[in-house]
Amino acid sequence: MGIVRNTLALILSVVLSSCGGDGSNTSGGTISNGSSGGSSGGSNTSGCSLSERQNWVKSQLDEWYLFPTLLNNSVTPSAYTNVQDYIDALVAPARAQSKDRYFTYITSIAEENAYYNSGSTAGLGVRLALDSSSNRLFVVESFESGPALGVGIDRGTEILAIGTVENGLQTVSSLVASGGTQALTDALGPNDPGVSRVLQVYTNGQVSNVTVTKTNYNIDPVSNRYGAKVIDDNGTKVGYINLRTFIDSADSDLRTAMDTFRSQGIDKVIVDLRYNGGGLVDVSVLFGDLLGKANVGKVFSYTTYRDSKSSRNTTTNFSAQSQAIAPTKIAFIGMHGTASASELLTNAFIPYLGNNMALVGTNTYGKPVGQIGLDRSACDDRLRVMAFKTENANHQGEYFTGLATVVPNTCAAGDDIFHQLGDPSEAATRAALNFLSGQSCTPITSSASGTRTQAATPRRTLITPARPSAAQHETPGLF
């Protein structure tokens, strides 16, 4: 996840990531540079003992970490039984200042590459969100090639209970009461093909028990059900596109959608990134190019490393694309799961659209910094190190508390999970259409932390395991 178009000569990949949480297992995601989500870099020393891996991690952080004065150099490696806990201790001072909310982490090279190449992962094939005010668990999105949709579990389905057999179901409320969201993760079991769970669900007015067997599947970055469409809003054509994640396979989907908009002369667009935790920077830049026909040759973003790595600072400009359009107004739908590459894209348009753009929904995650990926291939370790910050053409980039404080217009709206994404009746989509038609709206009110916002419906938090997989880092709420 990086900010430049091509993989760096050092053979590392750069990443912008919110990485699955803020300490309470809330949403997050990643931006990565390059076409495959990462490549080998760092050291390939063969030793894979805990102490050797910890020593390698510390040396990489000492060389690359964006805020070197915020590393805790007094940490004793032997006090930690795994690499991630050691990393968390090292970067704790930065976390205390909300500059590294679990953005630096260790993951699997193989898993991450598979995800970036094609969206490959395994599990139920859904995004899950918890309404913490009532301890109710909902499916907010169901992926077309996943097993859950095949048994009728889609957006708006409520999961009431979870078990391995029907006579052993545990209610969601009892699980949350006993162990928080991690208890839900544990009850759902490992995301391995062949693992089955019995779910008691409420959908379409009926309660039923369904058995879902987890499988391998690929996430389609733009849904073929609702991901790209032209909405007729009282005679005005509006382009709607929902991008789930910034991965390689989004390229053709984005080009096809924008070419459709171009051929129909569309100049008002809704970009729905409400659950998009990030992904490849190359894809974020491409999306910007496709929306930025009027900005060719102008600055998309600046990327800045620590002083000792300033030779790697880069400027990325908008480039011409044959499918590109030049919107006069854009409504970006974003919520607390919107992070990193999504925020990069939104921020890039502030200098050019100004009051002709809006953030619709709630405040976003707040991740204007990014990671590089350093590999220790003998151990299948990829270390994602927060190593750079990003800014738009106006050098705006300090949105650690979310984009609501920097986007010129904001419109508060809830996530209406009982209407499909892209439905003009869905709350956030309707608010976006209203903005594009010139109607007034209620601004988003963000808290000091940037993670609580005014909204018209209960705040549901995309849940993430304490130790998310590579795909879960990038796709908030994925199970």
Side-chain angles (χ1 to χ4, degrees):
M1 297 189 169
I3 279 302
V4 293
R5 290 182 180 274
N6 300 310
T7 306
L8 298 177
L10 181 63
I11 318 182
L12 50 79
S13 63
V14 260
V15 183
L16 280 167
S17 171
S18 61
C19 303
D22 60 2
S24 58
N25 293 328
T26 55
S27 58
T30 307
I31 298 183
S32 178
N33 178 71
S35 61
S36 62
S39 51
S40 61
S43 168
N44 288 316
T45 302
S46 59
C48 294
S49 69
L50 176 60
S51 61
E52 288 172 312
R53 294 168 72 211
Q54 288 173 323
N55 290 339
W56 174 73
V57 162
K58 181 60 164 64
S59 68
Q60 302 306 317
L61 291 177
D62 285 342
E63 180 177 358
W64 290 101
Y65 197 66
L66 180 61
F67 304 114
T69 62
L70 295 181
L71 286 173
N72 183 357
N73 292 311
S74 65
V75 171
T76 302
S78 60
Y80 301 92
T81 59
N82 63 73
V83 176
Q84 188 59 56
D85 285 348
Y86 177 57
I87 293 170
D88 291 344
L90 288 170
V91 304
R95 187 179 312 120
Q97 296 185 23
S98 295
K99 292 183 175 180
D100 188 344
R101 302 200 307 276
Y102 298 89
F103 303 155
T104 300
Y105 62 93
I106 195 89
T107 191
S108 159
I109 298 169
E111 286 184 12
E112 190 177 81
N113 285 351
Y115 176 79
Y116 282 137
N117 286 335
S118 63
S120 177
T121 186
L124 299 172
V126 295
R127 289 189 205 259
L128 299 178
L130 182 71
D131 180 351
S132 57
S133 66
S134 58
N135 287 344
R136 298 174 67 187
L137 183 65
F138 293 91
V139 175
V140 297
E141 188 166 25
S142 191
F143 302 114
E144 288 76 18
S145 60
L149 187 60
V151 296
I153 296 175
D154 202 353
R155 178 173 171 84
T157 295
E158 181 175 2
I159 298 177
L160 304 173
I162 305 166
T164 56
V165 292
E166 286 201 29
N167 62 4
L169 294 176
Q170 295 177 280
T171 65
V172 166
S173 57
S174 66
L175 286 166
V176 175
S178 66
T181 58
Q182 188 57 41
L184 295 174
T185 296
D186 295 341
L188 289 166
N191 286 322
D192 297 330
V195 172
S196 293
R197 285 296 181 268
V198 179
L199 305 178
Q200 185 176 87
V201 299
Y202 179 76
T203 185
N204 298 323
Q206 301 290 325
V207 175
S208 61
N209 293 340
V210 296
T211 299
V212 188
T213 301
K214 299 180 181 184
T215 63
N216 290 312
Y217 66 95
N218 291 341
I219 295 174
D220 186 353
V222 178
S223 170
N224 56 20
R225 293 187 291 156
Y226 50 77
K229 62 170 69 176
V230 175
I231 298 173
D232 186 336
D233 187 38
N234 295 318
T236 298
K237 290 184 177 181
V238 175
Y240 171 88
I241 183 160
N242 179 301
L243 184 66
R244 291 164 163 168
T245 183
F246 292 82
I247 57 177
D248 279 334
S249 53
D251 185 297
S252 60
D253 287 346
L254 291 173
R255 292 181 186 276
T256 298
M258 292 301 135
D259 204 35
T260 297
F261 297 168
R262 181 193 59 79
S263 67
Q264 296 194 33
I266 287 172
D267 63 359
K268 293 182 175 63
V269 179
I270 298 171
V271 177
D272 194 342
L273 303 169
R274 74 182 73 192
Y275 307 136
N276 192 322
L280 297 167
V281 163
D282 282 356
V283 179
S284 184
V285 174
L286 171 65
F287 202 172
D289 291 345
L290 292 169
L291 291 167
K293 183 176 182 180
N295 305 325
V296 172
K298 298 178 182 178
V299 172
F300 177 84
S301 67
Y302 296 106
T303 302
T304 305
Y305 288 76
R306 59 192 272 177
D307 289 346
S308 63
K309 299 292 184 181
S310 61
S311 63
R312 298 191 176 277
N313 295 350
T314 58
T315 301
T316 300
N317 294 332
F318 287 90
S319 296
Q321 302 289 341
S322 61
Q323 305 89 354
I325 62 174
T328 58
K329 296 184 80 172
I330 302 178
F332 291 91
I333 297 178
M335 297 190 178
H336 43 274
T338 303
S340 105
S342 296
E343 293 173 306
L344 169 68
L345 175 69
T346 305
N347 190 47
F349 279 90
I350 294 175
Y352 306 110
L353 288 177
N355 285 324
N356 288 316
M357 67 177 287
L359 172 66
V360 177
T362 72
N363 201 1
T364 61
Y365 191 76
K367 175 80 175 37
V369 290
Q371 301 106 313
I372 59 171
L374 297 164
D375 289 355
R376 190 176 178 89
S377 58
C379 311
D380 191 37
D381 281 342
R382 175 165 292 152
L383 177 64
R384 286 301 187 183
V385 181
M386 185 177 69
F388 61 91
K389 65 178 182 179
T390 66
E391 299 171 314
N392 65 19
N394 291 344
H395 289 287
Q396 297 170 314
E398 294 293 314
Y399 47 85
F400 285 100
T401 58
L403 287 173
T405 58
V406 299
V407 176
N409 297 298
T410 65
C411 297
D415 184 16
D416 177 7
I417 64 171
F418 302 111
H419 286 90
Q420 189 54 272
L421 294 163
D423 185 329
S425 297
E426 189 276 322
T429 307
R430 182 71 259 165
L433 289 168
N434 290 346
F435 167 76
L436 294 174
S437 68
Q439 298 181 48
S440 61
C441 61
T442 302
I444 294 170
T445 303
S446 62
S447 71
S449 68
T451 59
R452 302 291 183 196
T453 55
Q454 175 179 312
T457 58
R459 184 182 188 273
R460 302 181 190 92
T461 301
L462 297 166
I463 64 172
T464 301
R467 291 288 178 258
S469 68
Q472 287 171 323
H473 273 295
E474 310 301 336
T475 313
L478 178 66
F479 282 87

